[in-house]
Amino acid sequence: MSPRREPVSRRERPAKPALSRDGVVGLAFRIMREEGLERVTMRRLASELDTGPASLYVYVRNTAELHGALLDELLAELFVESETLGAPADWRDRLIDLLSRFAELLFGYPSLARSLLVLMPHGPRYLRLVDTVLGLLLEGGASPRAAAWGVDVLVAHAVATAAEHGTRDESVTGADEFDTLATVAASASASDYPHLDRVRDELFSGTGGERMRWSFEVLLRGIESAP
Amino acid sequence: MSPRREPVSRRERPAKPALSRDGVVGLAFRIMREEGLERVTMRRLASELDTGPASLYVYVRNTAELHGALLDELLAELFVESETLGAPADWRDRLIDLLSRFAELLFGYPSLARSLLVLMPHGPRYLRLVDTVLGLLLEGGASPRAAAWGVDVLVAHAVATAAEHGTRDESVTGADEFDTLATVAASASASDYPHLDRVRDELFSGTGGERMRWSFEVLLRGIESAP
DNA sequence: ACCTGAACACCGTTCAAGT
DNA sequence: ACCTGAACACCGTTCAAGT
């Protein structure tokens, strides 16, 4: 409250902030948002924090652990404004809505999604997500086993879809025409690949959102009727 | 057959082979088999071929394209000895068998699976796999749309599972106890995560094979009854 | 035309040494 | 105890220059 609590620092740099785990993760999150996960490197973080890369290893174990922290940061957005809709929807709708929002979040950060596939996250917000999905499956009458095994499949599906189709330039592969299955499938001969030929039109029909919803519904229907 | 067809070469090196795309891919495949995909680097390939890394770019566009070629090489094993079993099984069994063998193949090369998630492969053997899966789904009475959208989900599920749980040391993450969800879930408080607590035992029940089969069955059941 | 040495622009992680 | 300079051991890709 009191004005000019401190004299203006003698240097132009706005007072080098003390290093801390939160500081490192926060900076990493900002860079991920603004430039994508590939720009979040130990060296980049270090140089932005005016230190050497070795210093970061005091606060994070390694890159994988840092990515885990970034996921949990991202998942914070999943649990704000949860109850905006008036009518308390059907468990199935709530579940598909939750999973879709989770997937949507990851779609913005496909590299993070790819990292998660090998990471096995375990932050509190991730556990919250798993617990909520489990609760909805059980509410829908799934057996404990079907719920437990099902939550894995559902979450993994969301992550994998984001890793595959996530939007953001990145352009790991040169975005020439070489890379689209559409062109390959289009030129695949009907005699070599008769079934592919038969469903050709449907292979690339629908929007990403439609297919995502469809696949969650398929998964759910299967899990419900599983032993 | 004839003895000593060639004089012993003057040098000890067994006559530097001429570079070719097949030579590069073949060497890459051998290194992947023996040491894992992480060891397959442009620099490693080049040094093994007694040249500089730049030379490889005459034969492969980039690393992603090389990985695509490695997948197609690997898939060759999927189509040998297809008809070993006597009885022509149910379409559902044949489909699950095919997908399981595909997944099993990838389980040995989790890094390749991770690469595929972003690659969109399109080699002839991959198209063969897709076409065969499509055929079986259609045989089972799936609509063209359900088959087309379903094949995507099925194949992606196999790839993602391999990327996640694939075996091979690799140890991207230090294999300390820190990394298992089991320990985290075990210590997750029942009051914070009640549903997780309720199904705790089932979360880690079953073998990888059982859960894989279960998930394919779940997916299939869902796809069958999809519009 | 085909090939490549050398450079460009980076990585993650460790460890001995400083304060 | 906490921190870090410098090193270790690498990457993929490009391009000017050679044959």
Side-chain angles (χ1 to χ4, degrees):
Chain A
M1 294 287 191
S2 64
R4 62 184 141 68
R5 277 179 43 225
E6 291 188 328
V8 173
S9 69
R10 290 193 311 281
R11 294 205 155 277
E12 290 204 27
R13 268 223 170 254
K16 178 180 174 180
L19 261 56
S20 69
R21 184 179 159 92
D22 281 357
V24 172
V25 173
L27 174 61
F29 193 66
R30 212 199 65 216
I31 296 177
M32 181 175 82
R33 274 194 174 298
E34 293 171 4
E35 305 176 42
L37 186 69
E38 14 298 303
R39 298 270 186 233
V40 180
T41 68
M42 294 301 199
R43 282 163 189 275
R44 168 72 186 277
L45 291 170
S47 92
E48 206 118 327
L49 291 167
D50 278 322
T51 184
S55 307
L56 303 177
Y57 288 80
V58 178
Y59 306 105
V60 294
R61 181 181 302 237
N62 53 33
T63 312
E65 202 230 19
L66 177 61
H67 290 180
L70 290 176
L71 171 72
D72 232 61
E73 204 69 26
L74 189 66
L75 287 188
E77 296 176 32
L78 200 60
F79 299 104
V80 294
E81 47 126 16
S82 268
E83 303 301 322
T84 318
L85 293 137
D90 172 45
W91 70 270
R92 186 189 299 271
D93 288 338
R94 278 187 290 153
L95 183 44
I96 290 186
D97 180 62
L98 177 65
L99 288 168
S100 299
R101 285 193 299 130
F102 173 57
E104 216 170 286
L105 224 47
L106 286 176
F107 261 63
Y109 306 94
S111 305
L112 184 62
R114 283 191 279 281
S115 207
L116 297 185
L117 275 175
V118 67
L119 191 67
M120 185 52 75
H122 55 263
R125 297 191 184 97
Y126 180 78
L127 288 182
R128 172 96 286 127
L129 170 65
V130 169
D131 194 69
T132 309
V133 171
L134 276 174
L136 290 166
L137 286 174
L138 292 169
E139 186 181 330
S143 72
R145 157 158 302 193
W149 292 16
V151 68
D152 222 55
V153 176
L154 287 169
V155 171
H157 178 70
V159 173
T161 307
E164 268 191 280
H165 304 293
T167 54
R168 184 178 279 271
D169 29 31
E170 287 187 353
S171 63
V172 176
T173 320
D176 333 66
E177 82 296 352
F178 125 92
D179 140 74
T180 65
L181 180 57
T183 58
V184 180
S187 66
S189 83
S191 60
D192 283 351
Y193 307 107
H195 309 300
L196 219 150
D197 183 58
R198 200 179 137 197
V199 304
R200 198 185 296 284
D201 292 342
E202 294 288 5
L203 268 183
F204 306 99
S205 65
T207 67
E210 281 167 356
R211 293 176 71 131
M212 170 72 86
R213 188 169 198 88
W214 182 89
S215 61
F216 280 137
E217 277 162 6
V218 158
L219 248 10
L220 241 52
R221 230 191 312 272
I223 291 169
E224 270 180 272
S225 59
Chain B
M1 294 287 191
S2 64
R4 61 184 142 68
R5 276 179 45 225
E6 289 188 329
V8 173
S9 70
R10 290 194 310 280
R11 294 206 153 275
E12 291 202 26
R13 268 224 171 253
K16 178 180 173 180
L19 260 58
S20 70
R21 184 182 160 92
D22 281 357
V24 171
V25 173
L27 173 61
F29 193 66
R30 213 199 63 216
I31 297 177
M32 180 176 83
R33 274 194 175 297
E34 292 171 5
E35 305 175 41
L37 186 69
E38 12 300 301
R39 297 269 187 234
V40 180
T41 68
M42 293 301 198
R43 283 162 188 275
R44 167 73 185 276
L45 291 171
S47 91
E48 205 118 327
L49 292 167
D50 278 324
T51 183
S55 307
L56 303 177
Y57 288 80
V58 178
Y59 306 104
V60 293
R61 182 182 302 237
N62 53 33
T63 311
E65 203 231 19
L66 177 62
H67 289 181
L70 290 175
L71 171 72
D72 231 61
E73 204 70 25
L74 189 66
L75 287 188
E77 297 177 31
L78 199 60
F79 299 105
V80 293
E81 47 125 18
S82 266
E83 302 302 321
T84 318
L85 294 137
D90 171 45
W91 70 271
R92 187 189 300 270
D93 288 338
R94 278 187 290 153
L95 183 45
I96 290 186
D97 180 64
L98 177 65
L99 288 167
S100 298
R101 286 193 297 130
F102 173 57
E104 217 170 284
L105 224 48
L106 286 176
F107 261 64
Y109 306 94
S111 305
L112 184 62
R114 282 192 279 281
S115 206
L116 297 184
L117 275 175
V118 66
L119 190 67
M120 186 50 76
H122 54 263
R125 296 190 184 97
Y126 181 79
L127 288 182
R128 172 95 287 126
L129 171 66
V130 169
D131 193 69
T132 308
V133 172
L134 277 174
L136 289 167
L137 286 174
L138 292 169
E139 187 181 330
S143 72
R145 157 157 301 192
W149 291 17
V151 68
D152 222 56
V153 176
L154 287 168
V155 171
H157 178 70
V159 173
T161 306
E164 267 190 283
H165 303 294
T167 54
R168 184 178 278 270
D169 28 33
E170 287 188 353
S171 63
V172 175
T173 320
D176 333 65
E177 80 298 352
F178 126 91
D179 140 74
T180 65
L181 181 56
T183 58
V184 180
S187 64
S189 83
S191 60
D192 282 352
Y193 307 107
H195 309 299
L196 219 150
D197 184 59
R198 199 179 137 197
V199 304
R200 197 184 296 285
D201 292 342
E202 294 288 5
L203 267 182
F204 305 100
S205 66
T207 66
E210 282 167 355
R211 293 176 72 130
M212 171 72 86
R213 188 168 197 87
W214 181 89
S215 61
F216 280 137
E217 276 162 6
V218 158
L219 247 9
L220 241 52
R221 229 191 312 273
I223 292 169
E224 272 180 90
S225 60

